[in-house]
Amino acid sequence: MEYSKKTRVGFIGLGIMGRNMAGHVLAAGHPLAVYNRSRDKAAELLAKGARWCDTPGDVAAQSDVVITMVGFPRDVEEVWLGPDGVLSRARDALLIDMTTSSPELARRIAGVAATRHCEALDAPVSGGEIGARDAKLSIMVGGSEQAFAQALPILKLMGTKVVRQGEAGAGQHTKMCNQIVIASTIMGVCEGIAYGQAAGLHLPTVLQSIGAGAAGGFQLNVLGAKIIDGDFAPGFFIEHFVKDLGIALEEAKAMELELPGLALSRKLYARLIEQGHGRLGTQALYKSYGARA
Ligand code: NAP
């Protein structure tokens, strides 16, 4: 595939992340075909000139590059390998899954793609809704060097850091490293804020100090500030994070690696889902803290 502004792009999955990411592809001038489970999420892109397709297969039939950004591995499986899926119609195309999904599924998809004369990349992202909106995502890619080189101009429309990590599945493994770091970090953020509250401190003032020191970072500065404001609206759904932590734990188990922080974080988040909080943002972990011992 020779990249140009005429390269036809298909985008499937237009939620919090996907609709922002697809918007950058459209704004760069590419013809854009879109599909999403609920059509209403496509309205804004359709008004700006994107074309609606009725199935993932239809998207693939009209695209040189297909990008997916759905929710769970089961959604990836349906959209790629289902009867009307991307791989039922794709031919000589570059296929990129940006969902956070399992490394094993990424390798399976790459294998099927090869039988359709297609190249597949796994390219999960970090940077959240803000990173998607501002085209400042960090994109971690698994797949062949040749496919990576072809994908680079399009991925750069959505991210500022685009790095190839290895063969198929390596992008997803890297994303698991990212989620493992966040799993323990967010527990620390909640505990620090719970402690500050119990000590009677003025929390926004505490954040001014500790957010500017060695503890600073996205989890503390952005999500910690939301916790202090009592804002638990989703940028990143708890149910998606629990999905990621489950994948990471399974992969770690297969590698005979014990990760106690990851296991505890998953347990606390799973409890929040049981309490009906799965569609809140990950900062709602704070609801597990704050009670005095
Ligand atoms: P989201 O808002 O739920 O978006 C997912 C979209 O995919 C939804 O619009 C959904 O349709 C659509 N979809 C799901 N299954 C589908 C299917 N079978 N066919 C067609 N469309 C389907 O979630 P998100 O926050 O954008 O996250 C997307 C992925 O990125 C997840 O894997 C998440 O873990 C990962 N991620 C998220 C963030 C973040 O901060 N939000 C950051 C990094 C990575 P409906 O509209 O019908 O639900």
Side-chain angles (χ1 to χ4, degrees), residues 103 106-111 120-122 141-144 164 166-173:
R107 286 192 296 271
R108 189 145 50 94
I109 282 173
L121 295 171
D122 46 298
V141 187
S144 76
R164 179 176 176 268
E167 298 301 327
Q172 296 296 354
H173 271 309

PDB file of all heavy atoms in Angstrom, residues 103 106-111 120-122 141-144 164 166-173:
ATOM      1  N   PRO A 103      -2.819 -10.289  23.911  1.00  0.00           N
ATOM      2  CA  PRO A 103      -1.720 -10.570  22.977  1.00  0.00           C
ATOM      3  C   PRO A 103      -1.993 -11.829  22.143  1.00  0.00           C
ATOM      4  O   PRO A 103      -1.675 -11.874  20.953  1.00  0.00           O
ATOM      5  CB  PRO A 103      -0.516 -10.787  23.904  1.00  0.00           C
ATOM      6  CG  PRO A 103      -0.863 -10.085  25.184  1.00  0.00           C
ATOM      7  CD  PRO A 103      -2.355 -10.193  25.313  1.00  0.00           C
ATOM      8  N   ALA A 106      -4.293 -11.020  19.321  1.00  0.00           N
ATOM      9  CA  ALA A 106      -3.570 -10.235  18.303  1.00  0.00           C
ATOM     10  C   ALA A 106      -2.767 -11.158  17.391  1.00  0.00           C
ATOM     11  O   ALA A 106      -2.745 -10.988  16.171  1.00  0.00           O
ATOM     12  CB  ALA A 106      -2.647  -9.217  18.983  1.00  0.00           C
ATOM     13  N   ARG A 107      -2.121 -12.163  17.975  1.00  0.00           N
ATOM     14  CA  ARG A 107      -1.324 -13.093  17.161  1.00  0.00           C
ATOM     15  C   ARG A 107      -2.234 -13.927  16.266  1.00  0.00           C
ATOM     16  O   ARG A 107      -1.927 -14.184  15.099  1.00  0.00           O
ATOM     17  CB  ARG A 107      -0.485 -14.008  18.067  1.00  0.00           C
ATOM     18  CG  ARG A 107       0.698 -13.293  18.699  1.00  0.00           C
ATOM     19  CD  ARG A 107       1.661 -14.283  19.347  1.00  0.00           C
ATOM     20  NE  ARG A 107       1.045 -14.985  20.461  1.00  0.00           N
ATOM     21  CZ  ARG A 107       1.064 -14.548  21.724  1.00  0.00           C
ATOM     22  NH1 ARG A 107       1.679 -13.426  22.027  1.00  0.00           N
ATOM     23  NH2 ARG A 107       0.481 -15.235  22.684  1.00  0.00           N
ATOM     24  N   ARG A 108      -3.407 -14.340  16.802  1.00  0.00           N
ATOM     25  CA  ARG A 108      -4.352 -15.150  16.022  1.00  0.00           C
ATOM     26  C   ARG A 108      -4.855 -14.336  14.828  1.00  0.00           C
ATOM     27  O   ARG A 108      -4.910 -14.819  13.699  1.00  0.00           O
ATOM     28  CB  ARG A 108      -5.506 -15.560  16.947  1.00  0.00           C
ATOM     29  CG  ARG A 108      -6.451 -16.577  16.358  1.00  0.00           C
ATOM     30  CD  ARG A 108      -6.989 -17.546  17.411  1.00  0.00           C
ATOM     31  NE  ARG A 108      -7.515 -16.935  18.597  1.00  0.00           N
ATOM     32  CZ  ARG A 108      -8.807 -16.625  18.806  1.00  0.00           C
ATOM     33  NH1 ARG A 108      -9.699 -16.863  17.869  1.00  0.00           N
ATOM     34  NH2 ARG A 108      -9.192 -16.087  19.938  1.00  0.00           N
ATOM     35  N   ILE A 109      -5.200 -13.081  15.070  1.00  0.00           N
ATOM     36  CA  ILE A 109      -5.708 -12.212  14.006  1.00  0.00           C
ATOM     37  C   ILE A 109      -4.637 -12.011  12.924  1.00  0.00           C
ATOM     38  O   ILE A 109      -4.929 -12.074  11.726  1.00  0.00           O
ATOM     39  CB  ILE A 109      -6.166 -10.862  14.600  1.00  0.00           C
ATOM     40  CG1 ILE A 109      -7.527 -11.045  15.263  1.00  0.00           C
ATOM     41  CG2 ILE A 109      -6.215  -9.777  13.536  1.00  0.00           C
ATOM     42  CD1 ILE A 109      -8.030  -9.841  16.031  1.00  0.00           C
ATOM     43  N   ALA A 110      -3.399 -11.812  13.353  1.00  0.00           N
ATOM     44  CA  ALA A 110      -2.315 -11.618  12.374  1.00  0.00           C
ATOM     45  C   ALA A 110      -2.176 -12.851  11.478  1.00  0.00           C
ATOM     46  O   ALA A 110      -1.941 -12.730  10.270  1.00  0.00           O
ATOM     47  CB  ALA A 110      -1.006 -11.322  13.099  1.00  0.00           C
ATOM     48  N   GLY A 111      -2.371 -14.027  12.078  1.00  0.00           N
ATOM     49  CA  GLY A 111      -2.281 -15.268  11.301  1.00  0.00           C
ATOM     50  C   GLY A 111      -3.383 -15.350  10.252  1.00  0.00           C
ATOM     51  O   GLY A 111      -3.129 -15.671   9.082  1.00  0.00           O
ATOM     52  N   ALA A 120      -1.566  -7.290   9.606  1.00  0.00           N
ATOM     53  CA  ALA A 120      -2.297  -6.812  10.788  1.00  0.00           C
ATOM     54  C   ALA A 120      -1.323  -6.305  11.843  1.00  0.00           C
ATOM     55  O   ALA A 120      -0.253  -6.880  12.050  1.00  0.00           O
ATOM     56  CB  ALA A 120      -3.145  -7.941  11.360  1.00  0.00           C
ATOM     57  N   LEU A 121      -1.690  -5.210  12.483  1.00  0.00           N
ATOM     58  CA  LEU A 121      -0.908  -4.658  13.584  1.00  0.00           C
ATOM     59  C   LEU A 121      -1.788  -4.572  14.821  1.00  0.00           C
ATOM     60  O   LEU A 121      -2.975  -4.259  14.711  1.00  0.00           O
ATOM     61  CB  LEU A 121      -0.436  -3.236  13.250  1.00  0.00           C
ATOM     62  CG  LEU A 121       0.539  -3.058  12.082  1.00  0.00           C
ATOM     63  CD1 LEU A 121       0.702  -1.566  11.778  1.00  0.00           C
ATOM     64  CD2 LEU A 121       1.889  -3.674  12.413  1.00  0.00           C
ATOM     65  N   ASP A 122      -1.217  -4.848  16.013  1.00  0.00           N
ATOM     66  CA  ASP A 122      -1.893  -4.482  17.255  1.00  0.00           C
ATOM     67  C   ASP A 122      -1.245  -3.183  17.708  1.00  0.00           C
ATOM     68  O   ASP A 122      -0.017  -3.070  17.734  1.00  0.00           O
ATOM     69  CB  ASP A 122      -1.809  -5.580  18.328  1.00  0.00           C
ATOM     70  CG  ASP A 122      -0.422  -6.181  18.515  1.00  0.00           C
ATOM     71  OD1 ASP A 122       0.108  -6.769  17.552  1.00  0.00           O
ATOM     72  OD2 ASP A 122       0.137  -6.057  19.638  1.00  0.00           O
ATOM     73  N   VAL A 141       3.124  -0.572  19.221  1.00  0.00           N
ATOM     74  CA  VAL A 141       2.732  -1.353  18.050  1.00  0.00           C
ATOM     75  C   VAL A 141       3.422  -2.712  17.992  1.00  0.00           C
ATOM     76  O   VAL A 141       4.628  -2.821  18.219  1.00  0.00           O
ATOM     77  CB  VAL A 141       3.065  -0.563  16.756  1.00  0.00           C
ATOM     78  CG1 VAL A 141       2.502  -1.274  15.538  1.00  0.00           C
ATOM     79  CG2 VAL A 141       2.525   0.867  16.836  1.00  0.00           C
ATOM     80  N   GLY A 142       2.635  -3.738  17.648  1.00  0.00           N
ATOM     81  CA  GLY A 142       3.184  -5.065  17.370  1.00  0.00           C
ATOM     82  C   GLY A 142       2.887  -5.450  15.936  1.00  0.00           C
ATOM     83  O   GLY A 142       1.777  -5.215  15.449  1.00  0.00           O
ATOM     84  N   GLY A 143       3.863  -6.047  15.240  1.00  0.00           N
ATOM     85  CA  GLY A 143       3.653  -6.471  13.850  1.00  0.00           C
ATOM     86  C   GLY A 143       4.936  -6.298  13.058  1.00  0.00           C
ATOM     87  O   GLY A 143       5.967  -5.897  13.616  1.00  0.00           O
ATOM     88  N   SER A 144       4.862  -6.575  11.765  1.00  0.00           N
ATOM     89  CA  SER A 144       6.091  -6.554  10.953  1.00  0.00           C
ATOM     90  C   SER A 144       6.605  -5.125  10.776  1.00  0.00           C
ATOM     91  O   SER A 144       5.831  -4.166  10.826  1.00  0.00           O
ATOM     92  CB  SER A 144       5.840  -7.189   9.582  1.00  0.00           C
ATOM     93  OG  SER A 144       5.125  -6.280   8.761  1.00  0.00           O
ATOM     94  N   ARG A 164       7.366   0.911  17.557  1.00  0.00           N
ATOM     95  CA  ARG A 164       7.194  -0.529  17.303  1.00  0.00           C
ATOM     96  C   ARG A 164       7.892  -1.305  18.414  1.00  0.00           C
ATOM     97  O   ARG A 164       9.063  -1.070  18.708  1.00  0.00           O
ATOM     98  CB  ARG A 164       7.783  -0.902  15.935  1.00  0.00           C
ATOM     99  CG  ARG A 164       7.660  -2.384  15.637  1.00  0.00           C
ATOM    100  CD  ARG A 164       8.151  -2.758  14.247  1.00  0.00           C
ATOM    101  NE  ARG A 164       8.080  -4.182  14.074  1.00  0.00           N
ATOM    102  CZ  ARG A 164       9.088  -5.029  14.345  1.00  0.00           C
ATOM    103  NH1 ARG A 164      10.250  -4.573  14.750  1.00  0.00           N
ATOM    104  NH2 ARG A 164       8.924  -6.323  14.189  1.00  0.00           N
ATOM    105  N   GLY A 166       7.759  -4.886  18.603  1.00  0.00           N
ATOM    106  CA  GLY A 166       8.141  -6.246  18.196  1.00  0.00           C
ATOM    107  C   GLY A 166       7.075  -6.826  17.293  1.00  0.00           C
ATOM    108  O   GLY A 166       6.300  -6.089  16.678  1.00  0.00           O
ATOM    109  N   GLU A 167       7.042  -8.158  17.221  1.00  0.00           N
ATOM    110  CA  GLU A 167       6.094  -8.831  16.319  1.00  0.00           C
ATOM    111  C   GLU A 167       4.669  -8.793  16.887  1.00  0.00           C
ATOM    112  O   GLU A 167       4.446  -8.222  17.957  1.00  0.00           O
ATOM    113  CB  GLU A 167       6.552 -10.280  16.093  1.00  0.00           C
ATOM    114  CG  GLU A 167       7.917 -10.411  15.426  1.00  0.00           C
ATOM    115  CD  GLU A 167       7.992  -9.733  14.044  1.00  0.00           C
ATOM    116  OE1 GLU A 167       6.978  -9.720  13.322  1.00  0.00           O
ATOM    117  OE2 GLU A 167       9.080  -9.208  13.701  1.00  0.00           O
ATOM    118  N   ALA A 168       3.735  -9.419  16.182  1.00  0.00           N
ATOM    119  CA  ALA A 168       2.319  -9.396  16.590  1.00  0.00           C
ATOM    120  C   ALA A 168       2.177  -9.770  18.066  1.00  0.00           C
ATOM    121  O   ALA A 168       2.778 -10.742  18.522  1.00  0.00           O
ATOM    122  CB  ALA A 168       1.524 -10.360  15.712  1.00  0.00           C
ATOM    123  N   GLY A 169       1.397  -9.007  18.783  1.00  0.00           N
ATOM    124  CA  GLY A 169       1.167  -9.245  20.207  1.00  0.00           C
ATOM    125  C   GLY A 169       2.040  -8.376  21.105  1.00  0.00           C
ATOM    126  O   GLY A 169       1.699  -8.143  22.273  1.00  0.00           O
ATOM    127  N   ALA A 170       3.157  -7.864  20.567  1.00  0.00           N
ATOM    128  CA  ALA A 170       4.090  -7.086  21.405  1.00  0.00           C
ATOM    129  C   ALA A 170       3.488  -5.737  21.817  1.00  0.00           C
ATOM    130  O   ALA A 170       3.803  -5.210  22.887  1.00  0.00           O
ATOM    131  CB  ALA A 170       5.413  -6.871  20.679  1.00  0.00           C
ATOM    132  N   GLY A 171       2.624  -5.181  20.970  1.00  0.00           N
ATOM    133  CA  GLY A 171       1.946  -3.931  21.328  1.00  0.00           C
ATOM    134  C   GLY A 171       1.051  -4.162  22.543  1.00  0.00           C
ATOM    135  O   GLY A 171       1.060  -3.377  23.508  1.00  0.00           O
ATOM    136  N   GLN A 172       0.290  -5.254  22.507  1.00  0.00           N
ATOM    137  CA  GLN A 172      -0.614  -5.559  23.631  1.00  0.00           C
ATOM    138  C   GLN A 172       0.175  -5.880  24.905  1.00  0.00           C
ATOM    139  O   GLN A 172      -0.216  -5.478  25.997  1.00  0.00           O
ATOM    140  CB  GLN A 172      -1.552  -6.728  23.281  1.00  0.00           C
ATOM    141  CG  GLN A 172      -2.511  -6.438  22.131  1.00  0.00           C
ATOM    142  CD  GLN A 172      -3.514  -5.314  22.426  1.00  0.00           C
ATOM    143  OE1 GLN A 172      -3.602  -4.791  23.541  1.00  0.00           O
ATOM    144  NE2 GLN A 172      -4.290  -4.936  21.420  1.00  0.00           N
ATOM    145  N   HIS A 173       1.287  -6.607  24.763  1.00  0.00           N
ATOM    146  CA  HIS A 173       2.110  -6.889  25.956  1.00  0.00           C
ATOM    147  C   HIS A 173       2.609  -5.574  26.573  1.00  0.00           C
ATOM    148  O   HIS A 173       2.632  -5.418  27.797  1.00  0.00           O
ATOM    149  CB  HIS A 173       3.316  -7.752  25.579  1.00  0.00           C
ATOM    150  CG  HIS A 173       3.043  -9.229  25.648  1.00  0.00           C
ATOM    151  ND1 HIS A 173       2.482  -9.844  26.749  1.00  0.00           N
ATOM    152  CD2 HIS A 173       3.273 -10.221  24.747  1.00  0.00           C
ATOM    153  CE1 HIS A 173       2.367 -11.145  26.532  1.00  0.00           C
ATOM    154  NE2 HIS A 173       2.838 -11.400  25.320  1.00  0.00           N
TER     155      HIS A 173
END
